[in-house]
Amino acid sequence: MTADFTVSATQRGLVLSAFSWSYALMQIPAGSLIDGFGERIMVGASAWPAHPRASGRSAPG
């Protein structure tokens, strides 16, 4: 990955730490939403954009 995108080890570390911090910060609101709506609804809501027809994109072919 470092060679493909020509990034230094410092830049790669900054990207990975930004991901980790944002992931950690979103745990609190995600937990509140799950408590409020329930696990089934939240899993369904998070899987909805992954479905090709739901996002307006169709499968190639």
Side-chain angles (χ1 to χ4, degrees), residues 3-4 24 29-30 37 42 44-45 51 61:
D4 291 337
F37 293 108
M42 291 309 297
H51 193 278

Side-chain angles (χ1 to χ4, degrees), residues 8-36:
S8 68
T10 303
Q11 291 170 325
R12 189 178 67 218
L14 287 172
V15 169
L16 291 174
S17 66
F19 171 79
S20 297
W21 278 107
S22 61
Y23 187 84
L25 288 174
M26 291 309 295
Q27 293 297 311
I28 294 168
S32 296
L33 286 171
I34 289 172
D35 287 342

